Amino acid sequence: MRHGKKFNHLGRKTAHRKSMLSNMACSLIEHKRINTTEAKAKALRRFVEPLITKSKSDTTHNRRVVFSYLRNKYAVTELFKEISVKVGDRPGGYVRIIKLGNRQGDNAPMAMVELVDYNELYNPKGNKAKKSTRRSRRGGSKKAVTAPVENETAVQEEE
């Protein structure tokens, strides 16, 4: 029976689970993208998204509440100063989970967890990468070949 089982315990005691999610959330805030198992990714999303929502309004109370979850003042500072500004107009869904396949050692299903507004590939509003111009080999080699030939003929005429 599953009475009272509202979230995945991840095979850990309460203190270990809270510490692990706190550390993973700090890593996600710092690096904007981390790789983990699918179960931990889903638990992390439920842990982080309310904190990002709280960071939208920068008050002393909200900073203290978020600090009680993260226990890392650098992560809290970055969350309130940088990330909250970027996700200010988004009503939710700050974290994206992309499945990566199975891990080689134990065949565990892996996933990449990332903050949505920090991925330029999937972000339609973000700055698009400039396309590089294609240069054909023929066009570049003709210029390279013609330049030395002209110099050689000029040298031969001087002699």
Side-chain angles (χ1 to χ4, degrees), residues 89-108:
D89 57 340
R90 185 179 288 274
Y94 313 110
V95 176
R96 177 184 294 128
I97 296 176
I98 300 172
K99 296 181 180 180
L100 298 176
N102 294 343
R103 184 163 49 198
Q104 181 136 17
D106 58 355
N107 210 30

mmCIF file of all heavy atoms in Angstrom, residues 89-108:
data_model
loop_
_atom_site.group_PDB
_atom_site.id
_atom_site.type_symbol
_atom_site.label_atom_id
_atom_site.label_comp_id
_atom_site.label_asym_id
_atom_site.label_seq_id
_atom_site.Cartn_x
_atom_site.Cartn_y
_atom_site.Cartn_z
ATOM 1 N N ASP A 89 9.464 36.976 -16.124
ATOM 2 C CA ASP A 89 8.181 36.978 -16.828
ATOM 3 C C ASP A 89 7.616 35.581 -17.029
ATOM 4 O O ASP A 89 6.494 35.423 -17.495
ATOM 5 C CB ASP A 89 8.342 37.665 -18.193
ATOM 6 C CG ASP A 89 9.402 36.998 -19.039
ATOM 7 O OD1 ASP A 89 10.253 36.295 -18.476
ATOM 8 O OD2 ASP A 89 9.382 37.191 -20.273
ATOM 9 N N ARG A 90 8.360 34.540 -16.681
ATOM 10 C CA ARG A 90 7.909 33.161 -16.888
ATOM 11 C C ARG A 90 7.024 32.734 -15.715
ATOM 12 O O ARG A 90 7.412 32.874 -14.552
ATOM 13 C CB ARG A 90 9.139 32.253 -17.008
ATOM 14 C CG ARG A 90 8.829 30.818 -17.339
ATOM 15 C CD ARG A 90 10.094 30.005 -17.456
ATOM 16 N NE ARG A 90 10.814 30.340 -18.668
ATOM 17 C CZ ARG A 90 10.572 29.780 -19.843
ATOM 18 N NH1 ARG A 90 9.617 28.882 -19.951
ATOM 19 N NH2 ARG A 90 11.266 30.126 -20.902
ATOM 20 N N PRO A 91 5.821 32.196 -15.967
ATOM 21 C CA PRO A 91 4.922 31.848 -14.860
ATOM 22 C C PRO A 91 5.236 30.516 -14.184
ATOM 23 O O PRO A 91 4.605 30.147 -13.216
ATOM 24 C CB PRO A 91 3.553 31.780 -15.546
ATOM 25 C CG PRO A 91 3.868 31.420 -16.946
ATOM 26 C CD PRO A 91 5.185 32.055 -17.266
ATOM 27 N N GLY A 92 6.188 29.791 -14.649
ATOM 28 C CA GLY A 92 6.545 28.499 -14.054
ATOM 29 C C GLY A 92 7.302 27.680 -15.078
ATOM 30 O O GLY A 92 7.574 28.136 -16.186
ATOM 31 N N GLY A 93 7.660 26.454 -14.702
ATOM 32 C CA GLY A 93 8.381 25.593 -15.624
ATOM 33 C C GLY A 93 9.781 26.091 -15.890
ATOM 34 O O GLY A 93 10.193 26.257 -17.036
ATOM 35 N N TYR A 94 10.544 26.314 -14.817
ATOM 36 C CA TYR A 94 11.872 26.888 -14.950
ATOM 37 C C TYR A 94 12.936 25.846 -15.262
ATOM 38 O O TYR A 94 14.041 26.184 -15.655
ATOM 39 C CB TYR A 94 12.274 27.586 -13.643
ATOM 40 C CG TYR A 94 11.205 28.479 -13.087
ATOM 41 C CD1 TYR A 94 10.527 28.139 -11.931
ATOM 42 C CD2 TYR A 94 10.858 29.660 -13.730
ATOM 43 C CE1 TYR A 94 9.547 28.957 -11.417
ATOM 44 C CE2 TYR A 94 9.877 30.481 -13.222
ATOM 45 C CZ TYR A 94 9.223 30.117 -12.069
ATOM 46 O OH TYR A 94 8.245 30.921 -11.565
ATOM 47 N N VAL A 95 12.609 24.577 -15.057
ATOM 48 C CA VAL A 95 13.579 23.499 -15.188
ATOM 49 C C VAL A 95 13.144 22.555 -16.295
ATOM 50 O O VAL A 95 11.967 22.210 -16.400
ATOM 51 C CB VAL A 95 13.710 22.728 -13.847
ATOM 52 C CG1 VAL A 95 14.638 21.552 -13.986
ATOM 53 C CG2 VAL A 95 14.189 23.649 -12.756
ATOM 54 N N ARG A 96 14.088 22.160 -17.122
ATOM 55 C CA ARG A 96 13.827 21.209 -18.213
ATOM 56 C C ARG A 96 14.606 19.930 -17.927
ATOM 57 O O ARG A 96 15.763 19.970 -17.536
ATOM 58 C CB ARG A 96 14.288 21.802 -19.540
ATOM 59 C CG ARG A 96 14.135 20.881 -20.716
ATOM 60 C CD ARG A 96 14.700 21.489 -21.983
ATOM 61 N NE ARG A 96 13.919 22.649 -22.383
ATOM 62 C CZ ARG A 96 14.434 23.836 -22.645
ATOM 63 N NH1 ARG A 96 15.722 24.033 -22.540
ATOM 64 N NH2 ARG A 96 13.663 24.839 -23.019
ATOM 65 N N ILE A 97 13.955 18.788 -18.148
ATOM 66 C CA ILE A 97 14.599 17.484 -17.983
ATOM 67 C C ILE A 97 14.680 16.833 -19.356
ATOM 68 O O ILE A 97 13.659 16.629 -20.021
ATOM 69 C CB ILE A 97 13.820 16.593 -17.001
ATOM 70 C CG1 ILE A 97 13.819 17.215 -15.611
ATOM 71 C CG2 ILE A 97 14.418 15.193 -16.957
ATOM 72 C CD1 ILE A 97 13.000 16.465 -14.595
ATOM 73 N N ILE A 98 15.900 16.511 -19.775
ATOM 74 C CA ILE A 98 16.122 15.857 -21.064
ATOM 75 C C ILE A 98 16.706 14.480 -20.784
ATOM 76 O O ILE A 98 17.751 14.359 -20.137
ATOM 77 C CB ILE A 98 17.091 16.672 -21.944
ATOM 78 C CG1 ILE A 98 16.503 18.050 -22.203
ATOM 79 C CG2 ILE A 98 17.375 15.952 -23.251
ATOM 80 C CD1 ILE A 98 17.441 19.000 -22.882
ATOM 81 N N LYS A 99 16.056 13.436 -21.278
ATOM 82 C CA LYS A 99 16.519 12.073 -21.043
ATOM 83 C C LYS A 99 17.721 11.777 -21.922
ATOM 84 O O LYS A 99 17.739 12.125 -23.103
ATOM 85 C CB LYS A 99 15.390 11.088 -21.300
ATOM 86 C CG LYS A 99 14.245 11.277 -20.329
ATOM 87 C CD LYS A 99 13.133 10.306 -20.549
ATOM 88 C CE LYS A 99 12.024 10.561 -19.548
ATOM 89 N NZ LYS A 99 10.912 9.641 -19.725
ATOM 90 N N LEU A 100 18.726 11.130 -21.335
ATOM 91 C CA LEU A 100 19.986 10.893 -22.034
ATOM 92 C C LEU A 100 20.241 9.428 -22.374
ATOM 93 O O LEU A 100 21.202 9.131 -23.058
ATOM 94 C CB LEU A 100 21.155 11.391 -21.169
ATOM 95 C CG LEU A 100 21.180 12.868 -20.843
ATOM 96 C CD1 LEU A 100 22.332 13.174 -19.915
ATOM 97 C CD2 LEU A 100 21.297 13.680 -22.116
ATOM 98 N N GLY A 101 19.434 8.518 -21.900
ATOM 99 C CA GLY A 101 19.719 7.097 -22.112
ATOM 100 C C GLY A 101 20.174 6.478 -20.800
ATOM 101 O O GLY A 101 20.015 7.055 -19.729
ATOM 102 N N ASN A 102 20.759 5.296 -20.897
ATOM 103 C CA ASN A 102 21.136 4.567 -19.687
ATOM 104 C C ASN A 102 22.625 4.689 -19.408
ATOM 105 O O ASN A 102 23.444 4.751 -20.329
ATOM 106 C CB ASN A 102 20.755 3.100 -19.820
ATOM 107 C CG ASN A 102 19.255 2.922 -19.875
ATOM 108 O OD1 ASN A 102 18.506 3.830 -19.512
ATOM 109 N ND2 ASN A 102 18.809 1.777 -20.320
ATOM 110 N N ARG A 103 22.954 4.692 -18.117
ATOM 111 C CA ARG A 103 24.351 4.779 -17.691
ATOM 112 C C ARG A 103 25.034 3.443 -17.956
ATOM 113 O O ARG A 103 24.430 2.384 -17.815
ATOM 114 C CB ARG A 103 24.395 5.119 -16.195
ATOM 115 C CG ARG A 103 25.773 5.338 -15.660
ATOM 116 C CD ARG A 103 25.780 6.053 -14.329
ATOM 117 N NE ARG A 103 24.868 5.482 -13.357
ATOM 118 C CZ ARG A 103 24.466 6.133 -12.269
ATOM 119 N NH1 ARG A 103 24.864 7.350 -12.026
ATOM 120 N NH2 ARG A 103 23.638 5.553 -11.424
ATOM 121 N N GLN A 104 26.295 3.500 -18.333
ATOM 122 C CA GLN A 104 27.005 2.304 -18.744
ATOM 123 C C GLN A 104 27.206 1.313 -17.597
ATOM 124 O O GLN A 104 27.046 0.122 -17.762
ATOM 125 C CB GLN A 104 28.365 2.694 -19.320
ATOM 126 C CG GLN A 104 29.151 1.505 -19.805
ATOM 127 C CD GLN A 104 29.798 1.757 -21.141
ATOM 128 O OE1 GLN A 104 29.917 2.890 -21.535
ATOM 129 N NE2 GLN A 104 30.190 0.714 -21.810
ATOM 130 N N GLY A 105 27.539 1.793 -16.425
ATOM 131 C CA GLY A 105 27.895 0.887 -15.336
ATOM 132 C C GLY A 105 26.739 0.059 -14.814
ATOM 133 O O GLY A 105 26.825 -1.162 -14.727
ATOM 134 N N ASP A 106 25.616 0.705 -14.480
ATOM 135 C CA ASP A 106 24.507 -0.013 -13.860
ATOM 136 C C ASP A 106 23.203 0.099 -14.640
ATOM 137 O O ASP A 106 22.163 -0.310 -14.146
ATOM 138 C CB ASP A 106 24.304 0.493 -12.432
ATOM 139 C CG ASP A 106 24.040 1.983 -12.378
ATOM 140 O OD1 ASP A 106 24.108 2.638 -13.431
ATOM 141 O OD2 ASP A 106 23.756 2.487 -11.279
ATOM 142 N N ASN A 107 23.255 0.657 -15.841
ATOM 143 C CA ASN A 107 22.083 0.762 -16.718
ATOM 144 C C ASN A 107 20.974 1.630 -16.111
ATOM 145 O O ASN A 107 19.803 1.457 -16.418
ATOM 146 C CB ASN A 107 21.541 -0.635 -17.054
ATOM 147 C CG ASN A 107 20.881 -0.662 -18.410
ATOM 148 O OD1 ASN A 107 21.270 0.088 -19.305
ATOM 149 N ND2 ASN A 107 19.894 -1.512 -18.579
ATOM 150 N N ALA A 108 21.349 2.583 -15.273
ATOM 151 C CA ALA A 108 20.369 3.492 -14.681
ATOM 152 C C ALA A 108 19.963 4.535 -15.719
ATOM 153 O O ALA A 108 20.815 5.052 -16.443
ATOM 154 C CB ALA A 108 20.965 4.183 -13.466
#
